[in-house]
């Protein structure tokens, strides 16, 4: 007896084909979703990158078009010249990018000129100023000595991110600009209770209180000047000038650290904590100056 060949079940075959089509559809849908997510991520990344680039460009443009301001009044030499009676020599504000005007030494040779370039965060600067400012004060008052203070910001990155050196030098420029005759005491106050190197330094509020305690009367103007950092760009430029040199009217080419003390143009390299050593150096400079400016005594002529 012959056997018949089994015929395929059409309904079962149709189910298999339908399942295969459904599986293929699911795979296509999954692939399309993944592709859309990939494109979205790429698009989002491009957008973030574009935003970042635009932000950088905006910062650069703002910095480039930021209006420049004149330097502080009474600091045309990049320093504050304090003379007889602790009065500051008045000068007009220099226009932006103008070269500083060097202070002229005493032509008569009777006054010793001391120039101090110092960073308000510098420990050695503080030691020198605390040791010597008190003994210099009466000499400045009676006109025997002039002291020219040059605030510089060299330790700006050494104050836990607060840029204290820059802020303090800006505050000094604000006082010099608006109430110059309070400058001597304000400068001294920043060294008398000097913050430690590496710490955050004094806050702007404390700087404003120190200015007021130093006898400044135009406190509103000084406070606003400190708050908006009005002379920060000038401080940076003046500091760069001191670091690149030359140092005018001196034997020094440029600053090499955060303190430079010149007496009649000659650098002081003695002890920073010995008032006697510095006084001797000043007296020696005074004697040298007197010798170089004194009128020579005529030599008696021989008797015929």
């Amino acid at each position: 007896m012959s056997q018949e060949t089994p015929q395929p079940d059409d309904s079962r075959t149709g189910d298999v084909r339908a399942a295969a089509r459904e599986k293929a559809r699911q795979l296509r849908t999954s692939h399309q979703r993944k592709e859309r997510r990939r494109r979205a991520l790429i698009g989002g990344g491009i957008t973030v990158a574009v935003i970042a680039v635009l932000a950088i460009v905006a910062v650069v443009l703002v910095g480039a078009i930021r209006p420049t301001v004149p330097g502080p009044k009474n600091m045309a030499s990049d320093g504050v010249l304090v003379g007889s009676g602790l009065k500051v020599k008045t000068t007009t504000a220099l226009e932006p990018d103008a070269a500083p005007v060097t202070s002229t030494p005493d032509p008569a040779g009777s006054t010793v000129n001391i120039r101090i370039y110092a960073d308000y965060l510098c420990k050695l600067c503080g030691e020198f100023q605390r040791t010597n400012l008190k003994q210099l004060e009466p000499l400045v008052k009676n006109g025997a000595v002039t002291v020219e203070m040059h605030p510089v910001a060299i330790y700006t990155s050494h104050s836990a991110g607060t840029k204290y050196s820059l802020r303090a030098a800006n505050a000094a420029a604000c006082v010099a600009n608006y109430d110059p005759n309070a400058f001597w005491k304000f400068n001294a106050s920043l060294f008398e209770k000097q913050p430690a190197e590496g710490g955050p330094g004094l806050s702007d509020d404390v700087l404003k209180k120190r200015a007021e305690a130093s006898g400044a009367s135009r406190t509103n103007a000084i406070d606003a000047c400190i708050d908006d950092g009005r002379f920060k760009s000038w401080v940076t430029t003046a500091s760069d000038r001191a670091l690149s040199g030359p140092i005018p009217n001196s034997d020094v080419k440029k600053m090499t650290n955060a303190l430079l003390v010149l007496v009649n143009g000659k650098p002081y390299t003695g002890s920073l904590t010995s008032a006697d050593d510095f006084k001797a150096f000043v007296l020696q400079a005074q004697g040298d100056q007197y010798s170089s400016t004194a009128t020579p005594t005529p030599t008696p002529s021989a008797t015929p």
Side-chain angles (χ1 to χ4, degrees):
M1 177 181 295
S2 62
Q3 295 182 347
E4 295 181 358
T5 303
Q7 298 296 317
D9 188 338
D10 291 340
S11 62
R12 185 178 177 183
T13 301
D15 291 342
V16 171
R17 289 175 178 174
R21 286 195 298 270
E22 178 61 22
K23 184 65 175 178
R25 186 190 66 80
Q26 292 176 357
L27 289 173
R28 284 197 305 273
T29 302
S30 177
H31 177 74
Q32 289 169 354
R33 287 175 179 171
K34 289 180 180 179
E35 184 66 16
R36 283 196 295 268
R37 285 198 298 268
R38 186 182 69 83
R39 290 176 180 175
L41 289 173
I42 292 174
I46 292 173
T47 301
V48 170
V50 169
I51 292 173
V53 170
L54 290 176
I56 294 171
V57 171
V59 170
V60 172
L61 288 176
V62 168
I65 65 176
R66 180 181 299 161
T68 54
V69 296
K73 294 178 183 177
N74 313 312
M75 296 188 75
S77 65
D78 285 349
V80 179
L81 182 62
V82 186
S84 181
L86 295 182
K87 301 296 183 182
V88 169
K89 179 183 178 181
T90 59
T91 60
T92 58
L94 293 180
E95 291 303 313
D97 302 324
V101 180
T102 305
S103 298
T104 304
D106 177 17
S110 59
T111 303
V112 175
N113 173 249
I114 300 171
R115 274 182 288 163
I116 304 172
Y117 295 75
D119 187 306
Y120 286 112
L121 190 61
C122 161
K123 179 182 177 181
L124 296 179
C125 303
E127 290 178 350
F128 174 82
Q129 301 244 6
R130 288 189 297 274
T131 300
N132 293 290
L133 283 186
K134 289 184 179 179
Q135 74 168 347
L136 286 176
E137 187 169 315
L139 298 176
V140 177
K141 281 184 176 180
N142 66 26
V145 166
T146 62
V147 174
E148 190 169 5
M149 304 285 192
H150 289 254
V152 292
I154 295 174
Y155 284 2
T156 296
S157 62
H158 297 181
S159 53
T162 72
K163 299 184 178 181
Y164 174 67
S165 292
L166 181 60
R167 292 188 295 106
N170 172 73
C174 292
V175 173
N177 185 83
Y178 290 106
D179 209 332
N181 290 325
F183 182 87
W184 180 271
K185 288 186 177 179
F186 178 72
N187 174 79
S189 76
L190 296 188
F191 289 114
E192 286 168 2
K193 297 179 180 179
Q194 185 185 30
E197 290 182 14
L202 306 178
S203 68
D204 285 350
D205 285 342
V206 173
L207 290 172
K208 289 184 281 190
K209 290 177 181 177
R210 293 277 181 97
E212 184 176 8
S214 300
S217 56
R218 298 188 62 189
T219 53
N220 289 339
I222 292 173
D223 288 356
C225 181
I226 291 174
D227 285 336
D228 62 24
R230 192 164 307 164
F231 297 118
K232 282 183 177 180
S233 60
W234 172 84
V235 169
T236 300
T237 301
S239 300
D240 289 344
R241 278 194 285 261
L243 288 170
S244 61
I247 304 298
N249 294 334
S250 77
D251 299 333
V252 178
K253 292 183 178 180
K254 61 183 180 180
M255 286 190 72
T256 56
N257 52 51
L259 175 66
L260 173 62
V261 181
L262 301 170
V263 179
N264 285 351
K266 296 181 179 179
Y268 174 67
T269 57
S271 170
L272 301 179
T273 56
S274 172
D276 288 340
D277 284 3
F278 184 65
K279 184 178 181 180
F281 191 77
V282 172
L283 291 175
Q284 179 182 353
Q286 190 174 37
D288 292 344
Q289 183 165 292
Y290 177 79
S291 298
S292 64
T293 57
T295 303
T297 302
T299 302
S301 58
T303 302

